[in-house]
PDB file of all heavy atoms in Angstrom:
ATOM      1  N   GLU A 232     -10.939   6.553 -18.726  1.00 93.00           N
ATOM      2  CA  GLU A 232     -11.069   5.448 -19.687  1.00 93.00           C
ATOM      3  C   GLU A 232     -11.362   4.131 -18.968  1.00 93.00           C
ATOM      4  O   GLU A 232     -12.218   3.346 -19.416  1.00 93.00           O
ATOM      5  CB  GLU A 232      -9.786   5.314 -20.507  1.00 93.00           C
ATOM      6  CG  GLU A 232      -9.517   6.471 -21.469  1.00 93.00           C
ATOM      7  CD  GLU A 232      -8.974   7.711 -20.777  1.00 93.00           C
ATOM      8  OE1 GLU A 232      -8.585   7.607 -19.588  1.00 93.00           O
ATOM      9  OE2 GLU A 232      -8.949   8.782 -21.415  1.00 93.00           O
ATOM     10  N   LEU A 233     -10.686   3.889 -17.863  1.00 93.00           N
ATOM     11  CA  LEU A 233     -10.936   2.671 -17.103  1.00 93.00           C
ATOM     12  C   LEU A 233     -12.336   2.673 -16.517  1.00 93.00           C
ATOM     13  O   LEU A 233     -13.033   1.648 -16.526  1.00 93.00           O
ATOM     14  CB  LEU A 233      -9.887   2.529 -15.994  1.00 93.00           C
ATOM     15  CG  LEU A 233      -9.975   1.281 -15.103  1.00 93.00           C
ATOM     16  CD1 LEU A 233      -9.983   0.010 -15.929  1.00 93.00           C
ATOM     17  CD2 LEU A 233      -8.828   1.280 -14.095  1.00 93.00           C
ATOM     18  N   ALA A 234     -12.790   3.822 -16.031  1.00 95.00           N
ATOM     19  CA  ALA A 234     -14.154   3.919 -15.506  1.00 95.00           C
ATOM     20  C   ALA A 234     -15.176   3.597 -16.585  1.00 95.00           C
ATOM     21  O   ALA A 234     -16.162   2.884 -16.332  1.00 95.00           O
ATOM     22  CB  ALA A 234     -14.392   5.320 -14.943  1.00 95.00           C
ATOM     23  N   ALA A 235     -14.951   4.108 -17.812  1.00 95.00           N
ATOM     24  CA  ALA A 235     -15.879   3.834 -18.914  1.00 95.00           C
ATOM     25  C   ALA A 235     -15.912   2.352 -19.246  1.00 95.00           C
ATOM     26  O   ALA A 235     -16.989   1.793 -19.518  1.00 95.00           O
ATOM     27  CB  ALA A 235     -15.470   4.651 -20.135  1.00 95.00           C
ATOM     28  N   GLU A 236     -14.765   1.682 -19.218  1.00 93.00           N
ATOM     29  CA  GLU A 236     -14.723   0.244 -19.480  1.00 93.00           C
ATOM     30  C   GLU A 236     -15.519  -0.529 -18.437  1.00 93.00           C
ATOM     31  O   GLU A 236     -16.240  -1.486 -18.763  1.00 93.00           O
ATOM     32  CB  GLU A 236     -13.278  -0.239 -19.503  1.00 93.00           C
ATOM     33  CG  GLU A 236     -12.468   0.252 -20.682  1.00 93.00           C
ATOM     34  CD  GLU A 236     -11.027  -0.227 -20.603  1.00 93.00           C
ATOM     35  OE1 GLU A 236     -10.779  -1.259 -19.951  1.00 93.00           O
ATOM     36  OE2 GLU A 236     -10.147   0.433 -21.190  1.00 93.00           O
ATOM     37  N   LEU A 237     -15.397  -0.135 -17.182  1.00 95.00           N
ATOM     38  CA  LEU A 237     -16.123  -0.820 -16.115  1.00 95.00           C
ATOM     39  C   LEU A 237     -17.630  -0.619 -16.258  1.00 95.00           C
ATOM     40  O   LEU A 237     -18.419  -1.552 -16.075  1.00 95.00           O
ATOM     41  CB  LEU A 237     -15.639  -0.340 -14.756  1.00 95.00           C
ATOM     42  CG  LEU A 237     -14.189  -0.695 -14.406  1.00 95.00           C
ATOM     43  CD1 LEU A 237     -13.779  -0.020 -13.107  1.00 95.00           C
ATOM     44  CD2 LEU A 237     -14.022  -2.203 -14.288  1.00 95.00           C
ATOM     45  N   HIS A 238     -18.043   0.596 -16.586  1.00 95.00           N
ATOM     46  CA  HIS A 238     -19.474   0.856 -16.781  1.00 95.00           C
ATOM     47  C   HIS A 238     -20.017   0.017 -17.939  1.00 95.00           C
ATOM     48  O   HIS A 238     -21.124  -0.535 -17.844  1.00 95.00           O
ATOM     49  CB  HIS A 238     -19.707   2.341 -17.046  1.00 95.00           C
ATOM     50  CG  HIS A 238     -19.711   3.196 -15.811  1.00 95.00           C
ATOM     51  ND1 HIS A 238     -20.680   3.063 -14.828  1.00 95.00           N
ATOM     52  CD2 HIS A 238     -18.883   4.188 -15.390  1.00 95.00           C
ATOM     53  CE1 HIS A 238     -20.448   3.937 -13.857  1.00 95.00           C
ATOM     54  NE2 HIS A 238     -19.360   4.627 -14.180  1.00 95.00           N
ATOM     55  N   GLU A 239     -19.249  -0.090 -19.004  1.00 93.00           N
ATOM     56  CA  GLU A 239     -19.701  -0.866 -20.156  1.00 93.00           C
ATOM     57  C   GLU A 239     -19.832  -2.340 -19.797  1.00 93.00           C
ATOM     58  O   GLU A 239     -20.819  -3.007 -20.164  1.00 93.00           O
ATOM     59  CB  GLU A 239     -18.725  -0.690 -21.313  1.00 93.00           C
ATOM     60  CG  GLU A 239     -19.137  -1.430 -22.585  1.00 93.00           C
ATOM     61  CD  GLU A 239     -18.173  -1.205 -23.726  1.00 93.00           C
ATOM     62  OE1 GLU A 239     -17.192  -0.432 -23.555  1.00 93.00           O
ATOM     63  OE2 GLU A 239     -18.377  -1.804 -24.795  1.00 93.00           O
ATOM     64  N   ALA A 240     -18.856  -2.877 -19.084  1.00 91.00           N
ATOM     65  CA  ALA A 240     -18.900  -4.287 -18.702  1.00 91.00           C
ATOM     66  C   ALA A 240     -20.025  -4.570 -17.709  1.00 91.00           C
ATOM     67  O   ALA A 240     -20.715  -5.590 -17.794  1.00 91.00           O
ATOM     68  CB  ALA A 240     -17.559  -4.706 -18.117  1.00 91.00           C
ATOM     69  N   ALA A 241     -20.225  -3.664 -16.756  1.00 94.00           N
ATOM     70  CA  ALA A 241     -21.256  -3.871 -15.736  1.00 94.00           C
ATOM     71  C   ALA A 241     -22.657  -3.772 -16.316  1.00 94.00           C
ATOM     72  O   ALA A 241     -23.593  -4.411 -15.814  1.00 94.00           O
ATOM     73  CB  ALA A 241     -21.086  -2.868 -14.603  1.00 94.00           C
ATOM     74  N   ALA A 242     -22.816  -2.985 -17.371  1.00 93.00           N
ATOM     75  CA  ALA A 242     -24.141  -2.808 -17.962  1.00 93.00           C
ATOM     76  C   ALA A 242     -24.689  -4.107 -18.520  1.00 93.00           C
ATOM     77  O   ALA A 242     -25.914  -4.274 -18.637  1.00 93.00           O
ATOM     78  CB  ALA A 242     -24.076  -1.747 -19.064  1.00 93.00           C
ATOM     79  N   ALA A 243     -23.821  -5.056 -18.842  1.00 90.00           N
ATOM     80  CA  ALA A 243     -24.264  -6.322 -19.420  1.00 90.00           C
ATOM     81  C   ALA A 243     -24.711  -7.332 -18.368  1.00 90.00           C
ATOM     82  O   ALA A 243     -25.226  -8.401 -18.721  1.00 90.00           O
ATOM     83  CB  ALA A 243     -23.132  -6.917 -20.261  1.00 90.00           C
ATOM     84  N   ASP A 244     -24.520  -7.030 -17.082  1.00 92.00           N
ATOM     85  CA  ASP A 244     -24.849  -7.995 -16.024  1.00 92.00           C
ATOM     86  C   ASP A 244     -25.556  -7.254 -14.891  1.00 92.00           C
ATOM     87  O   ASP A 244     -24.923  -6.507 -14.138  1.00 92.00           O
ATOM     88  CB  ASP A 244     -23.575  -8.665 -15.511  1.00 92.00           C
ATOM     89  CG  ASP A 244     -23.853  -9.869 -14.624  1.00 92.00           C
ATOM     90  OD1 ASP A 244     -24.957  -9.954 -14.055  1.00 92.00           O
ATOM     91  OD2 ASP A 244     -22.951 -10.721 -14.502  1.00 92.00           O
ATOM     92  N   PRO A 245     -26.854  -7.456 -14.719  1.00 93.00           N
ATOM     93  CA  PRO A 245     -27.591  -6.728 -13.672  1.00 93.00           C
ATOM     94  C   PRO A 245     -27.169  -7.115 -12.253  1.00 93.00           C
ATOM     95  O   PRO A 245     -27.540  -6.429 -11.296  1.00 93.00           O
ATOM     96  CB  PRO A 245     -29.048  -7.117 -13.944  1.00 93.00           C
ATOM     97  CG  PRO A 245     -28.972  -8.408 -14.686  1.00 93.00           C
ATOM     98  CD  PRO A 245     -27.728  -8.331 -15.506  1.00 93.00           C
ATOM     99  N   ARG A 246     -26.400  -8.172 -12.119  1.00 94.00           N
ATOM    100  CA  ARG A 246     -25.948  -8.583 -10.777  1.00 94.00           C
ATOM    101  C   ARG A 246     -24.758  -7.749 -10.295  1.00 94.00           C
ATOM    102  O   ARG A 246     -24.361  -7.840  -9.137  1.00 94.00           O
ATOM    103  CB  ARG A 246     -25.535 -10.054 -10.793  1.00 94.00           C
ATOM    104  CG  ARG A 246     -26.636 -11.018 -11.264  1.00 94.00           C
ATOM    105  CD  ARG A 246     -26.077 -12.425 -11.387  1.00 94.00           C
ATOM    106  NE  ARG A 246     -24.924 -12.432 -12.312  1.00 94.00           N
ATOM    107  CZ  ARG A 246     -23.949 -13.353 -12.281  1.00 94.00           C
ATOM    108  NH1 ARG A 246     -23.983 -14.311 -11.374  1.00 94.00           N
ATOM    109  NH2 ARG A 246     -22.960 -13.289 -13.155  1.00 94.00           N
ATOM    110  N   VAL A 247     -24.184  -6.946 -11.202  1.00 96.00           N
ATOM    111  CA  VAL A 247     -23.000  -6.158 -10.884  1.00 96.00           C
ATOM    112  C   VAL A 247     -23.396  -4.727 -10.569  1.00 96.00           C
ATOM    113  O   VAL A 247     -24.186  -4.113 -11.296  1.00 96.00           O
ATOM    114  CB  VAL A 247     -21.994  -6.171 -12.053  1.00 96.00           C
ATOM    115  CG1 VAL A 247     -20.793  -5.271 -11.742  1.00 96.00           C
ATOM    116  CG2 VAL A 247     -21.545  -7.590 -12.358  1.00 96.00           C
ATOM    117  N   SER A 248     -22.849  -4.167  -9.489  1.00 96.00           N
ATOM    118  CA  SER A 248     -23.060  -2.752  -9.168  1.00 96.00           C
ATOM    119  C   SER A 248     -21.707  -2.078  -8.968  1.00 96.00           C
ATOM    120  O   SER A 248     -20.736  -2.712  -8.536  1.00 96.00           O
ATOM    121  CB  SER A 248     -23.926  -2.586  -7.912  1.00 96.00           C
ATOM    122  OG  SER A 248     -23.287  -3.150  -6.775  1.00 96.00           O
ATOM    123  N   LEU A 249     -21.647  -0.811  -9.305  1.00 97.00           N
ATOM    124  CA  LEU A 249     -20.411  -0.042  -9.228  1.00 97.00           C
ATOM    125  C   LEU A 249     -20.595   1.163  -8.307  1.00 97.00           C
ATOM    126  O   LEU A 249     -21.651   1.790  -8.304  1.00 97.00           O
ATOM    127  CB  LEU A 249     -19.992   0.456 -10.611  1.00 97.00           C
ATOM    128  CG  LEU A 249     -19.845  -0.565 -11.732  1.00 97.00           C
ATOM    129  CD1 LEU A 249     -19.514   0.148 -13.040  1.00 97.00           C
ATOM    130  CD2 LEU A 249     -18.778  -1.596 -11.398  1.00 97.00           C
ATOM    131  N   HIS A 250     -19.556   1.472  -7.582  1.00 97.00           N
ATOM    132  CA  HIS A 250     -19.481   2.726  -6.828  1.00 97.00           C
ATOM    133  C   HIS A 250     -18.082   3.280  -7.057  1.00 97.00           C
ATOM    134  O   HIS A 250     -17.158   3.052  -6.262  1.00 97.00           O
ATOM    135  CB  HIS A 250     -19.743   2.493  -5.347  1.00 97.00           C
ATOM    136  CG  HIS A 250     -19.686   3.752  -4.513  1.00 97.00           C
ATOM    137  ND1 HIS A 250     -20.539   4.811  -4.694  1.00 97.00           N
ATOM    138  CD2 HIS A 250     -18.839   4.116  -3.510  1.00 97.00           C
ATOM    139  CE1 HIS A 250     -20.243   5.779  -3.841  1.00 97.00           C
ATOM    140  NE2 HIS A 250     -19.202   5.379  -3.108  1.00 97.00           N
ATOM    141  N   LEU A 251     -17.905   3.976  -8.163  1.00 96.00           N
ATOM    142  CA  LEU A 251     -16.577   4.386  -8.607  1.00 96.00           C
ATOM    143  C   LEU A 251     -16.220   5.764  -8.059  1.00 96.00           C
ATOM    144  O   LEU A 251     -16.059   6.733  -8.795  1.00 96.00           O
ATOM    145  CB  LEU A 251     -16.510   4.351 -10.136  1.00 96.00           C
ATOM    146  CG  LEU A 251     -16.849   2.998 -10.769  1.00 96.00           C
ATOM    147  CD1 LEU A 251     -16.677   3.055 -12.273  1.00 96.00           C
ATOM    148  CD2 LEU A 251     -16.010   1.886 -10.158  1.00 96.00           C
ATOM    149  N   GLU A 252     -16.110   5.828  -6.754  1.00 95.00           N
ATOM    150  CA  GLU A 252     -15.774   7.064  -6.051  1.00 95.00           C
ATOM    151  C   GLU A 252     -14.765   6.745  -4.956  1.00 95.00           C
ATOM    152  O   GLU A 252     -14.603   5.592  -4.551  1.00 95.00           O
ATOM    153  CB  GLU A 252     -17.020   7.693  -5.413  1.00 95.00           C
ATOM    154  CG  GLU A 252     -18.153   7.986  -6.385  1.00 95.00           C
ATOM    155  CD  GLU A 252     -17.850   9.141  -7.331  1.00 95.00           C
ATOM    156  OE1 GLU A 252     -16.905   9.903  -7.001  1.00 95.00           O
ATOM    157  OE2 GLU A 252     -18.528   9.270  -8.356  1.00 95.00           O
TER     158      GLU A 252
END
Side-chain angles (χ1 to χ4, degrees):
E232 292 78 12
L233 181 54
E236 291 178 25
L237 294 173
H238 280 295
E239 182 178 358
D244 192 337
R246 303 174 303 156
V247 177
S248 62
L249 306 176
H250 180 62
L251 303 183
E252 303 289 343

